[in-house]
Amino acid sequence: MTQTVAVLGTGKIGEALLSGMIRAGWPTGHLLVTARRTERAEELRTRYGVEPVSNADAAKRADTLILAVKPQDMGTLLDELASHITPDRLVVSAAAGITTAFIEERLAAGTPVVRVMPNTPVLVDEGMSVISAGSHATHEHLAHTEEIFGGVGKTLRVPETQQDAATALSGSGPAYFYFLVEAMTDAGILLGLPRAQAHDLIVQAAIGAAVMLRDSGEHPVKLREAVTSPAGTTISAIRELENHGVRAALIAALEAARDRSRELASGNG
């Protein structure tokens, strides 16, 4: 943690990483941030005690640069940084759909690049960050990236060829659960419950189920079977889910998300 890390583009995800690093013990004197607006930069200085700098200064001073800008801004940012980044720096991209090759082509030859796909639960330290190495990134670079992103949840290494699939499952994943909670809350209202009560019942069921999935070590089929008694309410509901093709719809939805991720990565946005 003696290395200097710069977060470039300190929006919600960038700020979550920053606060996670500080909670994990990173000294604020080794953390730099960049922001488009002066007011935002000063807000980060006041809130976390870190130093706001320009993108060029961050590239000159930091050992590790975390690029947390929007994908459409990545090309412009790299053009600005290229002349200041030397191959002894580590560049970590947290921009969806941006390949390591896209970044490597715009930086000095041999610059190590790591691609990360975090999801929004990093905002509550329950994120999943999927990590892939570029052509010049070593095991040490990956371990360093895991150290940073481990402060806001779990990490998983995958080959970059699997990043689009991981985006479909994990990056977009929280939205699917919010969609299900929304639908189930509406169902609760239809069944006669007030919205607030229906919402509380579903949210707590989701939290409890997630903790059991994480902590029990049981296969989801076994956990489902434990709730599904013969000729009972649960099996009646599951029969309707199967009759309406919910399983097939989920598979098709994730394939569509993967395909869209591929399109964005290829520049066909």
Side-chain angles (χ1 to χ4, degrees):
M1 295 186 180
T2 57
Q3 286 199 350
T4 297
V5 177
V7 181
L8 285 74
T10 317
K12 287 186 178 180
I13 297 296
E15 183 176 355
L17 288 173
L18 178 67
S19 63
M21 283 188 283
I22 292 171
R23 288 192 302 276
W26 288 84
T28 55
H30 288 274
L31 295 173
L32 305 172
V33 297
T34 75
R36 282 184 174 178
R37 295 180 294 107
T38 303
E39 315 89 82
R40 174 62 171 164
E42 290 306 314
E43 178 185 331
L44 294 166
R45 186 200 299 272
T46 301
R47 185 175 299 168
Y48 299 105
V50 295
E51 182 183 357
V53 295
S54 68
N55 290 330
D57 283 341
K60 294 173 186 175
R61 294 171 54 186
D63 303 290
T64 299
L65 293 94
I66 301 173
L67 312 185
V69 298
K70 296 177 180 179
Q72 59 267 32
D73 296 331
M74 183 62 79
T76 301
L77 177 63
L78 292 172
D79 289 342
E80 184 180 353
L81 298 178
S83 62
H84 305 292
I85 296 178
T86 53
D88 60 340
R89 304 288 199 263
L90 170 61
V91 176
V92 179
S93 169
I98 301 295
T99 64
T100 58
F102 178 91
I103 297 171
E104 289 167 350
E105 289 168 1
R106 288 159 176 79
L107 300 178
T111 302
V113 178
V114 174
R115 176 179 173 182
V116 185
M117 180 67 242
N119 61 11
T120 54
V122 298
L123 299 171
V124 292
D125 294 348
E126 291 291 349
M128 174 58 82
S129 298
V130 183
I131 297 173
S132 300
S135 302
H136 311 293
T138 65
H139 172 79
E140 288 72 23
H141 294 131
L142 291 172
H144 182 53
T145 304
E146 288 173 333
E147 185 180 20
I148 293 171
F149 283 80
V152 289
K154 292 190 174 184
T155 62
L156 177 69
R157 295 187 195 183
V158 303
E160 190 168 9
T161 54
Q162 295 178 4
Q163 273 282 356
D164 294 316
T167 296
L169 280 168
S170 177
S172 300
Y176 312 146
F177 289 99
Y178 302 146
F179 181 85
L180 288 172
V181 167
E182 178 188 0
M184 293 172 73
T185 300
D186 287 345
I189 296 168
L190 179 66
L191 298 175
L193 292 169
R195 176 174 291 277
Q197 289 184 5
H199 176 80
D200 288 347
L201 288 169
I202 294 303
V203 169
Q204 188 57 37
I207 293 170
V211 172
M212 289 185 72
L213 279 166
R214 184 189 65 191
D215 296 347
S216 70
E218 296 283 2
H219 192 281
V221 171
K222 291 198 69 173
L223 292 173
R224 178 181 60 76
E225 288 176 344
V227 187
T228 311
S229 54
T233 59
T234 306
I235 193 62
S236 296
I238 288 173
R239 180 187 62 186
E240 289 303 313
L241 291 173
E242 294 289 9
N243 286 342
H244 286 80
V246 171
R247 189 186 304 266
L250 283 171
I251 292 171
L254 267 68
E255 286 181 327
R258 181 219 39 210
D259 294 346
R260 181 57 178 154
S261 181
R262 287 176 175 172
E263 289 176 0
L264 292 171
S266 66
N268 297 322

XYZ file of all heavy atoms in Angstrom, residues 224-262:
289
model
N -33.909 -24.839 -3.055
C -35.278 -24.706 -3.559
C -36.127 -25.887 -3.132
O -37.285 -25.722 -2.714
C -35.269 -24.586 -5.085
C -36.676 -24.486 -5.683
C -36.667 -24.383 -7.174
N -36.044 -25.515 -7.836
C -36.627 -26.725 -7.975
N -37.831 -26.952 -7.462
N -36.014 -27.697 -8.604
N -35.568 -27.094 -3.214
C -36.331 -28.285 -2.834
C -36.729 -28.265 -1.361
O -37.773 -28.802 -0.984
C -35.518 -29.543 -3.136
C -35.418 -29.845 -4.636
C -34.533 -31.043 -4.932
O -33.764 -31.446 -4.026
O -34.609 -31.558 -6.063
N -35.901 -27.616 -0.523
C -36.211 -27.536 0.910
C -37.448 -26.690 1.168
O -38.101 -26.828 2.207
C -35.015 -26.968 1.669
N -37.786 -25.805 0.214
C -38.972 -24.953 0.354
C -40.173 -25.574 -0.358
O -41.326 -25.207 -0.105
C -38.700 -23.545 -0.244
C -39.848 -22.588 0.048
C -37.406 -22.974 0.308
N -39.916 -26.547 -1.216
C -40.941 -27.055 -2.131
C -41.511 -28.369 -1.617
O -41.004 -29.447 -1.923
C -40.332 -27.243 -3.540
O -39.631 -26.069 -3.910
C -41.422 -27.505 -4.572
N -42.574 -28.286 -0.827
C -43.214 -29.502 -0.302
C -44.180 -30.075 -1.336
O -44.698 -29.353 -2.201
C -43.963 -29.183 0.994
O -44.875 -28.122 0.792
N -44.437 -31.386 -1.267
C -45.333 -32.020 -2.249
C -46.730 -31.390 -2.246
O -47.314 -31.161 -1.179
C -45.390 -33.480 -1.774
C -44.104 -33.677 -1.017
C -43.838 -32.364 -0.348
N -47.224 -31.108 -3.435
C -48.577 -30.557 -3.628
C -48.789 -29.256 -2.867
O -49.922 -28.911 -2.523
C -49.635 -31.590 -3.225
N -47.703 -28.520 -2.616
C -47.815 -27.301 -1.828
C -47.888 -26.040 -2.673
O -48.024 -26.081 -3.904
N -47.762 -24.908 -2.002
C -47.881 -23.617 -2.676
C -46.694 -23.337 -3.598
O -46.860 -22.803 -4.699
C -47.983 -22.488 -1.641
O -46.814 -22.505 -0.801
C -49.220 -22.675 -0.756
N -45.503 -23.693 -3.138
C -44.298 -23.347 -3.905
C -44.247 -24.088 -5.230
O -43.941 -23.495 -6.275
C -43.030 -23.655 -3.085
O -43.119 -23.001 -1.819
C -41.784 -23.167 -3.807
N -44.563 -25.380 -5.213
C -44.492 -26.142 -6.463
C -45.558 -25.669 -7.437
O -45.360 -25.699 -8.665
C -44.617 -27.666 -6.204
C -44.236 -28.448 -7.456
C -46.003 -28.022 -5.718
C -42.818 -28.256 -7.916
N -46.691 -25.202 -6.919
C -47.721 -24.650 -7.802
C -47.203 -23.397 -8.503
O -47.427 -23.186 -9.703
C -48.985 -24.311 -7.000
O -49.561 -25.491 -6.457
N -46.468 -22.563 -7.752
C -45.910 -21.350 -8.344
C -44.817 -21.689 -9.358
O -44.761 -21.107 -10.451
C -45.351 -20.452 -7.244
N -43.970 -22.639 -9.018
C -42.874 -23.012 -9.916
C -43.413 -23.613 -11.214
O -42.872 -23.362 -12.304
C -41.899 -23.972 -9.205
C -41.106 -23.174 -8.148
C -40.948 -24.644 -10.196
C -40.231 -24.012 -7.261
N -44.500 -24.377 -11.111
C -45.114 -24.918 -12.326
C -45.531 -23.794 -13.258
O -45.316 -23.871 -14.481
C -46.336 -25.775 -11.973
C -47.029 -26.383 -13.196
C -48.324 -27.065 -12.813
N -49.276 -26.098 -12.239
C -50.459 -26.440 -11.707
N -50.813 -27.716 -11.659
N -51.255 -25.526 -11.216
N -46.092 -22.731 -12.712
C -46.496 -21.600 -13.545
C -45.285 -20.889 -14.152
O -45.318 -20.454 -15.309
C -47.332 -20.610 -12.728
C -48.725 -21.113 -12.386
C -49.506 -21.486 -13.639
O -49.510 -20.685 -14.601
O -50.096 -22.583 -13.672
N -44.216 -20.762 -13.375
C -42.990 -20.157 -13.913
C -42.462 -20.972 -15.095
O -42.049 -20.413 -16.122
C -41.924 -20.056 -12.824
C -42.200 -19.054 -11.698
C -41.134 -19.191 -10.602
C -42.231 -17.619 -12.218
N -42.483 -22.289 -14.953
C -42.022 -23.152 -16.045
C -42.979 -23.078 -17.238
O -42.552 -23.039 -18.398
C -41.884 -24.598 -15.563
C -40.797 -24.811 -14.517
C -39.383 -24.683 -15.069
O -39.198 -24.263 -16.226
O -38.427 -24.995 -14.327
N -44.281 -23.058 -16.959
C -45.263 -22.975 -18.046
C -45.102 -21.691 -18.857
O -45.371 -21.669 -20.067
C -46.686 -23.043 -17.482
C -47.070 -24.435 -17.026
O -46.429 -25.429 -17.410
N -48.112 -24.541 -16.210
N -44.677 -20.625 -18.194
C -44.512 -19.342 -18.874
C -43.087 -19.140 -19.417
O -42.751 -18.053 -19.894
C -44.872 -18.184 -17.938
C -46.352 -18.037 -17.720
N -47.061 -18.826 -16.844
C -47.267 -17.204 -18.291
C -48.335 -18.481 -16.862
N -48.486 -17.497 -17.746
N -42.280 -20.162 -19.332
C -40.953 -20.105 -19.940
C -39.986 -19.143 -19.280
O -39.126 -18.568 -19.966
N -40.094 -18.981 -17.961
C -39.231 -18.016 -17.274
C -37.757 -18.412 -17.379
O -36.890 -17.571 -17.614
C -39.659 -17.863 -15.802
C -38.643 -17.032 -15.025
C -41.042 -17.216 -15.718
N -37.476 -19.706 -17.236
C -36.079 -20.152 -17.328
C -35.506 -19.845 -18.720
O -34.395 -19.310 -18.847
C -35.998 -21.654 -17.047
C -34.569 -22.191 -16.911
C -34.612 -23.714 -16.790
N -35.447 -24.141 -15.679
C -34.974 -24.407 -14.452
N -33.683 -24.299 -14.208
N -35.785 -24.801 -13.497
N -36.265 -20.165 -19.764
C -35.812 -19.908 -21.131
C -35.677 -18.411 -21.386
O -34.748 -17.969 -22.084
C -36.786 -20.524 -22.133
N -36.585 -17.627 -20.817
C -36.517 -16.172 -20.997
C -35.258 -15.602 -20.361
O -34.615 -14.709 -20.925
C -37.761 -15.515 -20.398
N -34.876 -16.123 -19.186
C -33.661 -15.645 -18.531
C -32.420 -15.979 -19.362
O -31.513 -15.151 -19.512
C -33.545 -16.262 -17.133
C -34.449 -15.652 -16.059
C -34.402 -16.488 -14.794
C -34.032 -14.220 -15.760
N -32.381 -17.180 -19.908
C -31.245 -17.575 -20.737
C -31.153 -16.666 -21.962
O -30.078 -16.171 -22.318
C -31.365 -19.053 -21.151
C -31.199 -19.953 -19.923
C -30.330 -19.413 -22.212
C -31.511 -21.422 -20.189
N -32.293 -16.424 -22.602
C -32.308 -15.558 -23.784
C -31.897 -14.134 -23.422
O -31.184 -13.461 -24.179
C -33.694 -15.563 -24.423
N -32.336 -13.665 -22.259
C -32.002 -12.304 -21.824
C -30.503 -12.154 -21.610
O -29.886 -11.158 -22.027
C -32.751 -11.971 -20.538
N -29.881 -13.140 -20.977
C -28.448 -13.057 -20.722
C -27.643 -13.182 -22.014
O -26.597 -12.540 -22.170
C -28.016 -14.118 -19.707
C -28.014 -13.609 -18.261
C -29.433 -13.337 -17.781
C -27.324 -14.591 -17.331
N -28.140 -13.983 -22.949
C -27.473 -14.048 -24.259
C -27.536 -12.698 -24.962
O -26.566 -12.269 -25.591
C -28.134 -15.134 -25.128
C -27.786 -16.550 -24.715
C -28.438 -17.580 -25.615
O -29.558 -17.318 -26.104
O -27.843 -18.650 -25.819
N -28.687 -12.019 -24.856
C -28.832 -10.698 -25.471
C -27.885 -9.690 -24.834
O -27.277 -8.862 -25.524
C -30.278 -10.219 -25.345
N -27.735 -9.761 -23.516
C -26.819 -8.861 -22.818
C -25.379 -9.133 -23.238
O -24.599 -8.200 -23.468
C -26.967 -9.012 -21.304
N -25.016 -10.424 -23.348
C -23.668 -10.766 -23.795
C -23.403 -10.242 -25.206
O -22.349 -9.664 -25.486
C -23.472 -12.270 -23.767
C -22.073 -12.712 -24.193
C -22.043 -13.964 -25.028
N -23.084 -14.110 -25.996
C -23.556 -15.300 -26.378
N -23.072 -16.407 -25.828
N -24.500 -15.377 -27.305
N -24.374 -10.436 -26.088
C -24.203 -9.995 -27.477
C -24.065 -8.476 -27.552
O -23.267 -7.957 -28.347
C -25.384 -10.463 -28.329
C -25.435 -11.979 -28.472
O -24.421 -12.642 -28.150
O -26.488 -12.496 -28.890
N -24.821 -7.761 -26.732
C -24.720 -6.300 -26.733
C -23.366 -5.850 -26.192
O -22.775 -4.879 -26.693
C -25.853 -5.698 -25.884
C -25.853 -4.182 -25.842
C -25.932 -3.576 -27.227
N -25.979 -2.114 -27.194
C -25.565 -1.351 -28.179
N -25.054 -1.873 -29.281
N -25.643 -0.030 -28.062
N -22.860 -6.557 -25.208
C -21.539 -6.250 -24.682
C -20.482 -6.427 -25.760
O -19.555 -5.616 -25.889
C -21.219 -7.154 -23.481
O -19.947 -6.857 -22.949
N -20.619 -7.474 -26.573
C -19.685 -7.691 -27.688
C -19.755 -6.548 -28.692
O -18.730 -6.082 -29.198
C -19.996 -9.019 -28.383
C -19.593 -10.245 -27.580
C -20.034 -11.509 -28.300
N -19.572 -12.701 -27.613
C -19.951 -13.946 -27.934
N -20.798 -14.140 -28.942
N -19.477 -14.983 -27.251
